[in-house]
Amino acid sequence: MQKRDPIRTLCDDIWEELFEAIDAAASLRRREKSVLAYLWNGCKTRSLSSARYPGHESVGATLGISPLGVHASLVSLERKGYIKAITSGDSRKSVAYRLNAFLLECAYDKVRLKKTS
């Protein structure tokens, strides 16, 4: 029987705690939770940004939300400080979203507290 890597286990626990925290966040509406979880699922953990954002239509189709609902959720998430829109300087005006690292830090702290108590 193969032993599980403790670092991988810690990372999995943090990831699980992050999504549980998003789901339990009283400050977020249902659509905002869905969009935020979608962005975290597609983020690069090194930069905490969602490079290659596919667009409101694609995200909406994936989540079962209208493109207008996705847009409204993104605006609200940015206003609340959960994300920050980053536009590129090229002529295509592509956008990515930087995710608030504090969410990940809180998930880490919660997991570490569980493991030490």
PDB file of all heavy atoms in Angstrom, residues 11-35:
ATOM      1  N   CYS A  11      -2.078  20.224   0.892  1.00  0.00           N
ATOM      2  CA  CYS A  11      -2.597  21.043  -0.222  1.00  0.00           C
ATOM      3  C   CYS A  11      -4.047  20.685  -0.536  1.00  0.00           C
ATOM      4  O   CYS A  11      -4.874  21.577  -0.751  1.00  0.00           O
ATOM      5  CB  CYS A  11      -1.728  20.871  -1.460  1.00  0.00           C
ATOM      6  SG  CYS A  11      -0.088  21.603  -1.296  1.00  0.00           S
ATOM      7  N   ASP A  12      -4.354  19.393  -0.555  1.00  0.00           N
ATOM      8  CA  ASP A  12      -5.734  18.959  -0.808  1.00  0.00           C
ATOM      9  C   ASP A  12      -6.678  19.462   0.274  1.00  0.00           C
ATOM     10  O   ASP A  12      -7.792  19.904  -0.015  1.00  0.00           O
ATOM     11  CB  ASP A  12      -5.812  17.437  -0.905  1.00  0.00           C
ATOM     12  CG  ASP A  12      -5.181  16.892  -2.171  1.00  0.00           C
ATOM     13  OD1 ASP A  12      -4.926  17.676  -3.110  1.00  0.00           O
ATOM     14  OD2 ASP A  12      -4.927  15.667  -2.214  1.00  0.00           O
ATOM     15  N   ASP A  13      -6.226  19.403   1.525  1.00  0.00           N
ATOM     16  CA  ASP A  13      -7.050  19.892   2.638  1.00  0.00           C
ATOM     17  C   ASP A  13      -7.294  21.393   2.540  1.00  0.00           C
ATOM     18  O   ASP A  13      -8.396  21.872   2.800  1.00  0.00           O
ATOM     19  CB  ASP A  13      -6.387  19.554   3.976  1.00  0.00           C
ATOM     20  CG  ASP A  13      -6.387  18.069   4.292  1.00  0.00           C
ATOM     21  OD1 ASP A  13      -7.107  17.308   3.616  1.00  0.00           O
ATOM     22  OD2 ASP A  13      -5.644  17.668   5.216  1.00  0.00           O
ATOM     23  N   ILE A  14      -6.259  22.138   2.171  1.00  0.00           N
ATOM     24  CA  ILE A  14      -6.403  23.589   2.018  1.00  0.00           C
ATOM     25  C   ILE A  14      -7.377  23.904   0.890  1.00  0.00           C
ATOM     26  O   ILE A  14      -8.253  24.765   1.023  1.00  0.00           O
ATOM     27  CB  ILE A  14      -5.031  24.259   1.766  1.00  0.00           C
ATOM     28  CG1 ILE A  14      -4.152  24.137   3.011  1.00  0.00           C
ATOM     29  CG2 ILE A  14      -5.196  25.720   1.356  1.00  0.00           C
ATOM     30  CD1 ILE A  14      -2.701  24.513   2.774  1.00  0.00           C
ATOM     31  N   TRP A  15      -7.228  23.208  -0.218  1.00  0.00           N
ATOM     32  CA  TRP A  15      -8.111  23.425  -1.373  1.00  0.00           C
ATOM     33  C   TRP A  15      -9.561  23.141  -0.999  1.00  0.00           C
ATOM     34  O   TRP A  15     -10.467  23.908  -1.324  1.00  0.00           O
ATOM     35  CB  TRP A  15      -7.642  22.534  -2.520  1.00  0.00           C
ATOM     36  CG  TRP A  15      -8.032  22.992  -3.881  1.00  0.00           C
ATOM     37  CD1 TRP A  15      -8.817  22.313  -4.761  1.00  0.00           C
ATOM     38  CD2 TRP A  15      -7.653  24.196  -4.548  1.00  0.00           C
ATOM     39  NE1 TRP A  15      -8.948  23.033  -5.924  1.00  0.00           N
ATOM     40  CE2 TRP A  15      -8.242  24.185  -5.814  1.00  0.00           C
ATOM     41  CE3 TRP A  15      -6.873  25.284  -4.178  1.00  0.00           C
ATOM     42  CZ2 TRP A  15      -8.078  25.217  -6.723  1.00  0.00           C
ATOM     43  CZ3 TRP A  15      -6.713  26.314  -5.087  1.00  0.00           C
ATOM     44  CH2 TRP A  15      -7.307  26.271  -6.338  1.00  0.00           C
ATOM     45  N   GLU A  16      -9.780  22.050  -0.286  1.00  0.00           N
ATOM     46  CA  GLU A  16     -11.129  21.680   0.143  1.00  0.00           C
ATOM     47  C   GLU A  16     -11.690  22.740   1.100  1.00  0.00           C
ATOM     48  O   GLU A  16     -12.852  23.141   0.983  1.00  0.00           O
ATOM     49  CB  GLU A  16     -11.096  20.318   0.829  1.00  0.00           C
ATOM     50  CG  GLU A  16     -12.456  19.780   1.181  1.00  0.00           C
ATOM     51  CD  GLU A  16     -12.366  18.395   1.784  1.00  0.00           C
ATOM     52  OE1 GLU A  16     -11.630  17.546   1.243  1.00  0.00           O
ATOM     53  OE2 GLU A  16     -13.039  18.167   2.803  1.00  0.00           O
ATOM     54  N   GLU A  17     -10.875  23.196   2.024  1.00  0.00           N
ATOM     55  CA  GLU A  17     -11.296  24.225   2.980  1.00  0.00           C
ATOM     56  C   GLU A  17     -11.635  25.538   2.265  1.00  0.00           C
ATOM     57  O   GLU A  17     -12.595  26.228   2.626  1.00  0.00           O
ATOM     58  CB  GLU A  17     -10.199  24.466   4.020  1.00  0.00           C
ATOM     59  CG  GLU A  17     -10.587  25.430   5.101  1.00  0.00           C
ATOM     60  CD  GLU A  17     -11.737  24.954   5.962  1.00  0.00           C
ATOM     61  OE1 GLU A  17     -11.752  23.765   6.346  1.00  0.00           O
ATOM     62  OE2 GLU A  17     -12.643  25.764   6.238  1.00  0.00           O
ATOM     63  N   LEU A  18     -10.869  25.871   1.233  1.00  0.00           N
ATOM     64  CA  LEU A  18     -11.128  27.085   0.460  1.00  0.00           C
ATOM     65  C   LEU A  18     -12.524  27.052  -0.150  1.00  0.00           C
ATOM     66  O   LEU A  18     -13.299  28.010  -0.026  1.00  0.00           O
ATOM     67  CB  LEU A  18     -10.078  27.246  -0.638  1.00  0.00           C
ATOM     68  CG  LEU A  18     -10.323  28.359  -1.651  1.00  0.00           C
ATOM     69  CD1 LEU A  18     -10.160  29.726  -0.995  1.00  0.00           C
ATOM     70  CD2 LEU A  18      -9.389  28.225  -2.826  1.00  0.00           C
ATOM     71  N   PHE A  19     -12.869  25.934  -0.790  1.00  0.00           N
ATOM     72  CA  PHE A  19     -14.176  25.854  -1.446  1.00  0.00           C
ATOM     73  C   PHE A  19     -15.319  25.751  -0.438  1.00  0.00           C
ATOM     74  O   PHE A  19     -16.413  26.253  -0.686  1.00  0.00           O
ATOM     75  CB  PHE A  19     -14.195  24.714  -2.464  1.00  0.00           C
ATOM     76  CG  PHE A  19     -13.408  25.060  -3.692  1.00  0.00           C
ATOM     77  CD1 PHE A  19     -12.113  24.610  -3.848  1.00  0.00           C
ATOM     78  CD2 PHE A  19     -13.934  25.875  -4.667  1.00  0.00           C
ATOM     79  CE1 PHE A  19     -11.366  24.948  -4.962  1.00  0.00           C
ATOM     80  CE2 PHE A  19     -13.204  26.227  -5.789  1.00  0.00           C
ATOM     81  CZ  PHE A  19     -11.920  25.764  -5.932  1.00  0.00           C
ATOM     82  N   GLU A  20     -15.064  25.145   0.709  1.00  0.00           N
ATOM     83  CA  GLU A  20     -16.074  25.129   1.769  1.00  0.00           C
ATOM     84  C   GLU A  20     -16.318  26.546   2.288  1.00  0.00           C
ATOM     85  O   GLU A  20     -17.457  26.921   2.565  1.00  0.00           O
ATOM     86  CB  GLU A  20     -15.634  24.210   2.905  1.00  0.00           C
ATOM     87  CG  GLU A  20     -15.723  22.743   2.573  1.00  0.00           C
ATOM     88  CD  GLU A  20     -15.163  21.847   3.676  1.00  0.00           C
ATOM     89  OE1 GLU A  20     -14.840  22.358   4.771  1.00  0.00           O
ATOM     90  OE2 GLU A  20     -15.050  20.645   3.434  1.00  0.00           O
ATOM     91  N   ALA A  21     -15.240  27.329   2.416  1.00  0.00           N
ATOM     92  CA  ALA A  21     -15.378  28.710   2.885  1.00  0.00           C
ATOM     93  C   ALA A  21     -16.145  29.561   1.882  1.00  0.00           C
ATOM     94  O   ALA A  21     -16.972  30.386   2.270  1.00  0.00           O
ATOM     95  CB  ALA A  21     -13.997  29.313   3.150  1.00  0.00           C
ATOM     96  N   ILE A  22     -15.864  29.353   0.601  1.00  0.00           N
ATOM     97  CA  ILE A  22     -16.607  30.093  -0.430  1.00  0.00           C
ATOM     98  C   ILE A  22     -18.084  29.743  -0.344  1.00  0.00           C
ATOM     99  O   ILE A  22     -18.950  30.616  -0.371  1.00  0.00           O
ATOM    100  CB  ILE A  22     -16.043  29.803  -1.837  1.00  0.00           C
ATOM    101  CG1 ILE A  22     -14.660  30.436  -1.999  1.00  0.00           C
ATOM    102  CG2 ILE A  22     -17.002  30.311  -2.922  1.00  0.00           C
ATOM    103  CD1 ILE A  22     -13.930  30.007  -3.263  1.00  0.00           C
ATOM    104  N   ASP A  23     -18.369  28.460  -0.220  1.00  0.00           N
ATOM    105  CA  ASP A  23     -19.758  28.002  -0.153  1.00  0.00           C
ATOM    106  C   ASP A  23     -20.483  28.537   1.080  1.00  0.00           C
ATOM    107  O   ASP A  23     -21.668  28.813   1.034  1.00  0.00           O
ATOM    108  CB  ASP A  23     -19.797  26.473  -0.179  1.00  0.00           C
ATOM    109  CG  ASP A  23     -21.191  25.951  -0.429  1.00  0.00           C
ATOM    110  OD1 ASP A  23     -21.884  26.482  -1.325  1.00  0.00           O
ATOM    111  OD2 ASP A  23     -21.603  25.013   0.278  1.00  0.00           O
ATOM    112  N   ALA A  24     -19.763  28.711   2.176  1.00  0.00           N
ATOM    113  CA  ALA A  24     -20.382  29.155   3.431  1.00  0.00           C
ATOM    114  C   ALA A  24     -20.380  30.678   3.598  1.00  0.00           C
ATOM    115  O   ALA A  24     -20.944  31.175   4.575  1.00  0.00           O
ATOM    116  CB  ALA A  24     -19.658  28.513   4.610  1.00  0.00           C
ATOM    117  N   ALA A  25     -19.779  31.407   2.677  1.00  0.00           N
ATOM    118  CA  ALA A  25     -19.646  32.861   2.827  1.00  0.00           C
ATOM    119  C   ALA A  25     -21.004  33.549   2.801  1.00  0.00           C
ATOM    120  O   ALA A  25     -21.713  33.511   1.798  1.00  0.00           O
ATOM    121  CB  ALA A  25     -18.752  33.427   1.725  1.00  0.00           C
ATOM    122  N   ALA A  26     -21.341  34.179   3.907  1.00  0.00           N
ATOM    123  CA  ALA A  26     -22.632  34.866   4.011  1.00  0.00           C
ATOM    124  C   ALA A  26     -22.657  36.154   3.197  1.00  0.00           C
ATOM    125  O   ALA A  26     -23.729  36.651   2.849  1.00  0.00           O
ATOM    126  CB  ALA A  26     -22.940  35.168   5.475  1.00  0.00           C
ATOM    127  N   SER A  27     -21.485  36.690   2.873  1.00  0.00           N
ATOM    128  CA  SER A  27     -21.426  37.959   2.142  1.00  0.00           C
ATOM    129  C   SER A  27     -21.604  37.787   0.635  1.00  0.00           C
ATOM    130  O   SER A  27     -21.658  38.773  -0.089  1.00  0.00           O
ATOM    131  CB  SER A  27     -20.096  38.657   2.413  1.00  0.00           C
ATOM    132  OG  SER A  27     -19.029  37.882   1.901  1.00  0.00           O
ATOM    133  N   LEU A  28     -21.687  36.537   0.180  1.00  0.00           N
ATOM    134  CA  LEU A  28     -21.801  36.280  -1.255  1.00  0.00           C
ATOM    135  C   LEU A  28     -23.157  35.694  -1.616  1.00  0.00           C
ATOM    136  O   LEU A  28     -23.700  34.864  -0.886  1.00  0.00           O
ATOM    137  CB  LEU A  28     -20.711  35.302  -1.710  1.00  0.00           C
ATOM    138  CG  LEU A  28     -19.265  35.753  -1.555  1.00  0.00           C
ATOM    139  CD1 LEU A  28     -18.320  34.633  -1.953  1.00  0.00           C
ATOM    140  CD2 LEU A  28     -19.003  36.986  -2.394  1.00  0.00           C
ATOM    141  N   ARG A  29     -23.647  36.103  -2.766  1.00  0.00           N
ATOM    142  CA  ARG A  29     -24.867  35.500  -3.318  1.00  0.00           C
ATOM    143  C   ARG A  29     -24.504  34.204  -4.029  1.00  0.00           C
ATOM    144  O   ARG A  29     -23.339  33.936  -4.316  1.00  0.00           O
ATOM    145  CB  ARG A  29     -25.517  36.474  -4.294  1.00  0.00           C
ATOM    146  CG  ARG A  29     -26.014  37.719  -3.615  1.00  0.00           C
ATOM    147  CD  ARG A  29     -26.793  38.574  -4.604  1.00  0.00           C
ATOM    148  NE  ARG A  29     -27.423  39.671  -3.914  1.00  0.00           N
ATOM    149  CZ  ARG A  29     -27.189  40.941  -4.181  1.00  0.00           C
ATOM    150  NH1 ARG A  29     -26.362  41.269  -5.140  1.00  0.00           N
ATOM    151  NH2 ARG A  29     -27.810  41.882  -3.501  1.00  0.00           N
ATOM    152  N   ARG A  30     -25.509  33.414  -4.318  1.00  0.00           N
ATOM    153  CA  ARG A  30     -25.291  32.100  -4.943  1.00  0.00           C
ATOM    154  C   ARG A  30     -24.497  32.207  -6.242  1.00  0.00           C
ATOM    155  O   ARG A  30     -23.536  31.470  -6.459  1.00  0.00           O
ATOM    156  CB  ARG A  30     -26.633  31.415  -5.196  1.00  0.00           C
ATOM    157  CG  ARG A  30     -26.517  30.009  -5.747  1.00  0.00           C
ATOM    158  CD  ARG A  30     -27.875  29.382  -6.011  1.00  0.00           C
ATOM    159  NE  ARG A  30     -28.773  30.208  -6.777  1.00  0.00           N
ATOM    160  CZ  ARG A  30     -28.766  30.314  -8.104  1.00  0.00           C
ATOM    161  NH1 ARG A  30     -27.889  29.659  -8.812  1.00  0.00           N
ATOM    162  NH2 ARG A  30     -29.629  31.083  -8.720  1.00  0.00           N
ATOM    163  N   ARG A  31     -24.865  33.136  -7.125  1.00  0.00           N
ATOM    164  CA  ARG A  31     -24.144  33.288  -8.395  1.00  0.00           C
ATOM    165  C   ARG A  31     -22.710  33.726  -8.170  1.00  0.00           C
ATOM    166  O   ARG A  31     -21.799  33.274  -8.861  1.00  0.00           O
ATOM    167  CB  ARG A  31     -24.839  34.315  -9.299  1.00  0.00           C
ATOM    168  CG  ARG A  31     -26.132  33.825  -9.892  1.00  0.00           C
ATOM    169  CD  ARG A  31     -26.688  34.804 -10.875  1.00  0.00           C
ATOM    170  NE  ARG A  31     -26.639  36.182 -10.361  1.00  0.00           N
ATOM    171  CZ  ARG A  31     -27.278  37.202 -10.872  1.00  0.00           C
ATOM    172  NH1 ARG A  31     -28.025  37.039 -11.932  1.00  0.00           N
ATOM    173  NH2 ARG A  31     -27.182  38.406 -10.355  1.00  0.00           N
ATOM    174  N   GLU A  32     -22.502  34.617  -7.210  1.00  0.00           N
ATOM    175  CA  GLU A  32     -21.143  35.075  -6.918  1.00  0.00           C
ATOM    176  C   GLU A  32     -20.274  33.921  -6.424  1.00  0.00           C
ATOM    177  O   GLU A  32     -19.112  33.809  -6.800  1.00  0.00           O
ATOM    178  CB  GLU A  32     -21.177  36.192  -5.864  1.00  0.00           C
ATOM    179  CG  GLU A  32     -21.836  37.457  -6.361  1.00  0.00           C
ATOM    180  CD  GLU A  32     -22.132  38.453  -5.251  1.00  0.00           C
ATOM    181  OE1 GLU A  32     -22.048  38.084  -4.061  1.00  0.00           O
ATOM    182  OE2 GLU A  32     -22.446  39.602  -5.589  1.00  0.00           O
ATOM    183  N   LYS A  33     -20.851  33.064  -5.591  1.00  0.00           N
ATOM    184  CA  LYS A  33     -20.117  31.885  -5.106  1.00  0.00           C
ATOM    185  C   LYS A  33     -19.720  30.983  -6.269  1.00  0.00           C
ATOM    186  O   LYS A  33     -18.592  30.493  -6.328  1.00  0.00           O
ATOM    187  CB  LYS A  33     -20.970  31.097  -4.111  1.00  0.00           C
ATOM    188  CG  LYS A  33     -21.191  31.807  -2.804  1.00  0.00           C
ATOM    189  CD  LYS A  33     -22.117  31.002  -1.899  1.00  0.00           C
ATOM    190  CE  LYS A  33     -22.424  31.763  -0.620  1.00  0.00           C
ATOM    191  NZ  LYS A  33     -23.284  30.990   0.285  1.00  0.00           N
ATOM    192  N   SER A  34     -20.644  30.776  -7.194  1.00  0.00           N
ATOM    193  CA  SER A  34     -20.365  29.923  -8.349  1.00  0.00           C
ATOM    194  C   SER A  34     -19.253  30.498  -9.212  1.00  0.00           C
ATOM    195  O   SER A  34     -18.340  29.786  -9.631  1.00  0.00           O
ATOM    196  CB  SER A  34     -21.625  29.741  -9.205  1.00  0.00           C
ATOM    197  OG  SER A  34     -22.621  29.075  -8.489  1.00  0.00           O
ATOM    198  N   VAL A  35     -19.323  31.791  -9.475  1.00  0.00           N
ATOM    199  CA  VAL A  35     -18.313  32.443 -10.315  1.00  0.00           C
ATOM    200  C   VAL A  35     -16.956  32.449  -9.607  1.00  0.00           C
ATOM    201  O   VAL A  35     -15.922  32.157 -10.229  1.00  0.00           O
ATOM    202  CB  VAL A  35     -18.752  33.876 -10.703  1.00  0.00           C
ATOM    203  CG1 VAL A  35     -17.624  34.633 -11.390  1.00  0.00           C
ATOM    204  CG2 VAL A  35     -19.986  33.822 -11.606  1.00  0.00           C
TER     205      VAL A  35
END
